[in-house]
């Protein structure tokens, strides 16, 4: 009688077929729930900047912002000499300078970001900035800045 070829059995334990099926169903339910939630709560927004009131934070600093489901876009207006004190946050930040220039003190370096340039600031990285000229910058945050939404960002308020 010829010997049949058999595959060597793996010593690693695989989840049972029942466990794999249950996990797949659970994952599928979670994915559907997330998709359904996103579809229900996400909405298209069209918002011209001129329809959003400028928020005066101090004599040299104003801002406007739009909040999406997972991201925030802020338009920040800084007069020459405006200082944004050192701070950090759990939000990742992209800063794009539309007009003017900002000097940052970050990660042990001084970095000047001019019009048309972008700075990517990782979460939890302390940073400070000074407007070298009247500046318009767009800041993108993920997730949205709760302290800005709730107006608990005292580090920006009432200073030059």
């Amino acid at each position: 009688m010829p010997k049949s070829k058999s595959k060597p059995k793996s010593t690693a334990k695989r989840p049972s077929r029942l466990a794999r099926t249950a996990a797949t169903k659970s994952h599928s339910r979670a994915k559907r729930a997330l998709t359904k939630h996103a579809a229900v709560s996400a909405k298209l927004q069209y918002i011209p900047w001129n329809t959003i009131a400028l928020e005066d934070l101090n004599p040299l600093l104003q801002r406007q912002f739009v909040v999406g489901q997972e991201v925030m876009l802020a338009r920040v207006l800084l007069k020459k000499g405006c200082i944004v004190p050192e701070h950090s946050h759990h939000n990742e930040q992209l800063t794009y300078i539309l007009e003017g220039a900002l000097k940052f003190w970050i990660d042990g370096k001084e970095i000047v970001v001019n019009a048309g340039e972008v700075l990517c600031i990782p979460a939890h990285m302390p940073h400070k900035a000074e407007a070298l000229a009247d500046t318009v910058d767009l800041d993108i945050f993920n997730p949205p800045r709760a302290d800005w939404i709730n107006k608990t960002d005292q580090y920006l308020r009432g200073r030059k």
Side-chain angles (χ1 to χ4, degrees):
M1 229 168 139
K3 286 188 176 180
S4 63
K5 292 183 182 176
S6 62
K7 293 181 184 175
K9 291 194 176 188
S10 170
T11 56
K13 290 194 173 197
R14 286 184 49 180
S16 70
R17 185 185 202 201
L18 182 60
R20 286 192 313 270
T21 302
T24 301
K25 284 183 180 178
S26 175
H27 177 72
S28 180
R29 277 194 303 272
K31 195 172 180 181
R32 279 195 312 272
L34 181 61
T35 302
K36 182 179 178 185
H37 172 74
V40 170
S41 57
K43 64 179 182 175
L44 175 66
Q45 298 183 68
Y46 169 73
I47 306 164
W49 284 119
N50 66 4
T51 65
I52 301 171
L54 278 169
E55 182 180 5
D56 293 314
L57 297 167
N58 68 54
L60 301 178
L61 182 63
Q62 298 176 304
R63 75 170 172 217
Q64 303 161 291
F65 57 82
V66 176
V67 181
Q69 193 165 1
E70 301 289 332
V71 69
M72 169 189 270
L73 174 65
R75 182 172 172 258
V76 184
L77 308 172
L78 305 97
K79 298 275 188 211
K80 181 179 180 176
C82 179
I83 302 284
V84 176
E86 185 175 61
H87 65 286
S88 66
H89 37 77
H90 72 275
N91 320 76
E92 183 176 15
Q93 176 178 346
L94 290 173
T95 294
Y96 174 59
I97 305 300
L98 292 171
E99 299 173 20
L102 290 180
K103 180 184 208 177
F104 284 85
W105 288 265
I106 186 167
D107 200 28
K109 302 177 191 98
E110 289 184 12
I111 302 170
V112 175
V113 185
N114 295 292
E117 298 176 342
V118 177
L119 181 65
C120 182
I121 305 172
H124 306 288
M125 183 171 280
H127 53 284
K128 172 184 172 178
E130 177 182 0
L132 300 179
D134 288 354
T135 300
V136 179
D137 107 63
L138 292 180
D139 288 332
I140 300 167
F141 298 100
N142 181 26
R145 294 282 304 265
D147 61 332
W148 286 22
I149 295 166
N150 300 329
K151 301 188 184 322
T152 58
D153 50 354
Q154 295 302 67
Y155 74 99
L156 289 175
R157 297 174 181 274
R159 293 185 181 166
K160 286 186 181 179

